[in-house]
Structure formats: structure tokens, C-alpha cells
Amino acid sequence: MDERIKILVADDEKDIRELVKLILENAGYEVVLAVNGKEAVEMFDESISLAILDIMMPKINGIDACAQIRVKTDAPVLFLTAKSAESDMVDSFEAGGDDYLTKPFSSTELLLRVKALLKRPHMSAEDKSSSKIIIQDIILDTELQQVIRDGEEIPLTEIEYRIILLLASNRNHIFTAKEIYETVWGEAFMPNSTNTVMVHIRNIRKKLGDTGPSPKYLHNSWGRGYRIV
């Protein structure tokens, strides 16, 4: 790489920091290290293309650090953590995280996740247009990449926006979790990918106020997948 992509790695365990640094540098990336969440937030700037955060860190934990980084940028965030409970995954995604990898991990899987995230740090050009998609009282402005209701933007993460855009652009088509994952994340479907999709769908519904027994926007066809009618 002529100009190496810079990745921030934050973990309070020195062995993990050094291992991840070695894996990434051997793959050609430039790596900067932080020993806690507070340091990660302070070190993050526009030169960094991706952040890899542990959850359990002193001073500021990874969840809060991610939320503060999100104020600065929409650069992708990968959580690398020993915490594997679904509630931790939910918290990670709600804070603006893009992906979640549990320890122990293989160098191959880590690099696959990193490469997939770096392919889509921003919405791809083909997803942009000057048109608007209207779903009842919701407007998807595909130029501004916003979801708007009653003149107010509904704050979605990039992943959440990409999911709703995929479904809204293909009304009444049922997408399986595998199809959603491989289209939106741009990487191969893995055993835990279904849970990842489900958590994001749940977060989208919560933000849309669509959590009742009869969904208004995003429908689940049991055993088949998801659609917007």
C-alpha cells in the first residue's frame, strides 16, 4: 500500500493489543494503539479509517467510547471482546458499532472482518440518488442518506440505514437473514450472522416505534425472512 490505511486498536490487555497490531501490520495496515476507552476517543481523528475496540476497558468502556467516536465520524467500528451475551451485542450495535467478533479469534477471521468493513466505510455510490422512497409516513432520502418522519430525522447507524434501504428498495420481496447479511455487510454468512441481523432489525424497529404485535413498516415472514410492504 502506497499510503497505508490507519487502524486504531484499543484494548487494556497488552498481549491482545500486540497480537492484533502484529496481524494488521503483517497485512499492510498502519496501527495505533490505545490502552483504554478514554485514550481511544482522544486519539481518534480523521486519519483513522477503522476502530477496533474491546468492551471492558478502564476509564471509558468500549460501548461509551464507540458512542463518542460516532459523534466525530461514521468510520466503521469493530468490537473485539470476550463478552458474548446477546445483550452486549445489542449495546454494541446501539452505540453505533458495525461488527462484533468474540475472543478467542483467528487472524484469518479478524482480517476478513476488517477488509469487509473497510470496503464500506461510507454508503456506496450506487446507493445514492436524488430520489426519495416513501413508506407510509416515513421518507428515505437516498441522497442525504436519512430516514425522516414528520420533518425529523430518525437517527440510524449506517448498517441500519443500509438494511432499511435494501428492504425499501425491493418492496414486498422477502429477504432471508443470509441475503441481508451478505448484501449489507458484504462478507460471507457465518453461523452467528443470523443473530447479528436480528439485533439490527430489532434496533430499527425500536427507532421507528414499530415494536407492537402488528408491525407497521418492517414485517417478519416467519421462517423466511424480512420485508417492507
Side-chain angles (χ1 to χ4, degrees):
M1 302 178 187
D2 294 331
E3 185 176 343
R4 294 195 299 167
I5 294 171
K6 186 186 291 187
I7 297 175
L8 170 69
V9 177
D11 198 302
D12 59 329
E13 295 184 47
K14 182 179 179 181
D15 290 346
I16 297 294
R17 288 198 308 272
E18 295 299 330
L19 174 60
V20 175
K21 181 175 185 286
L22 179 63
I23 292 170
L24 295 175
E25 286 186 341
N26 285 342
Y29 299 107
E30 180 181 352
V31 179
V32 293
L33 299 177
V35 301
N36 56 57
K38 182 175 184 293
E39 195 170 283
V41 174
E42 291 172 348
M43 294 175 65
F44 200 98
D45 59 33
E46 62 183 11
S47 70
I48 294 172
S49 300
L50 169 70
I52 299 178
L53 306 177
D54 184 26
I55 289 182
M56 297 298 292
M57 292 190 290
K59 297 191 177 179
I60 298 178
N61 64 43
I63 302 294
D64 292 340
C66 178
Q68 292 184 42
I69 287 171
R70 271 287 159 265
V71 175
K72 299 182 178 184
T73 179
D74 64 350
V77 174
L78 168 64
F79 282 98
L80 188 63
T81 176
K83 295 174 71 66
S84 58
E86 183 175 303
S87 60
D88 298 314
M89 186 185 297
V90 171
D91 290 343
S92 301
F93 291 142
E94 286 185 339
D98 297 276
D99 206 351
Y100 189 101
L101 183 60
T102 55
K103 304 172 185 176
F105 57 89
S106 70
S107 58
T108 299
E109 185 173 14
L110 174 62
L111 288 174
L112 284 173
R113 300 292 184 95
V114 166
K115 289 175 182 177
L117 288 169
L118 289 172
K119 284 180 181 176
R120 53 170 181 79
H122 303 285
M123 186 63 64
S124 60
E126 61 265 28
D127 287 337
K128 297 179 180 179
S129 72
S130 59
S131 64
K132 293 179 174 61
I133 301 173
I134 299 175
I135 308 168
Q136 300 182 57
D137 58 344
I138 287 179
I139 298 173
L140 269 73
D141 188 320
T142 57
E143 185 174 16
L144 297 176
Q145 299 172 31
Q146 293 179 344
V147 177
I148 300 166
R149 180 170 52 204
D150 298 329
E152 297 289 332
E153 180 185 0
I154 298 172
L156 301 179
T157 67
E158 183 189 348
I159 291 291
E160 292 164 357
Y161 175 79
R162 290 176 69 94
I163 290 173
I164 196 171
L165 177 61
L166 173 66
L167 299 178
S169 299
N170 299 273
R171 302 282 280 273
N172 284 310
H173 178 83
I174 297 173
F175 284 88
T176 65
K178 181 176 186 292
E179 289 171 331
I180 293 172
Y181 189 84
E182 292 185 344
T183 300
V184 172
W185 275 261
E187 58 184 274
F189 189 77
M190 296 181 179
N192 65 342
S193 299
T194 296
N195 283 340
T196 299
V197 172
M198 289 173 62
V199 168
H200 279 84
I201 293 289
R202 186 184 308 158
N203 287 342
I204 292 170
R205 283 179 166 153
K206 184 187 297 183
K207 291 180 179 181
L208 295 179
D210 198 23
T211 56
S214 300
K216 184 177 180 181
Y217 311 107
L218 211 161
H219 297 259
N220 182 6
S221 297
W222 295 107
R224 299 175 65 190
Y226 304 94
R227 64 178 175 143
I228 287 178
V229 297

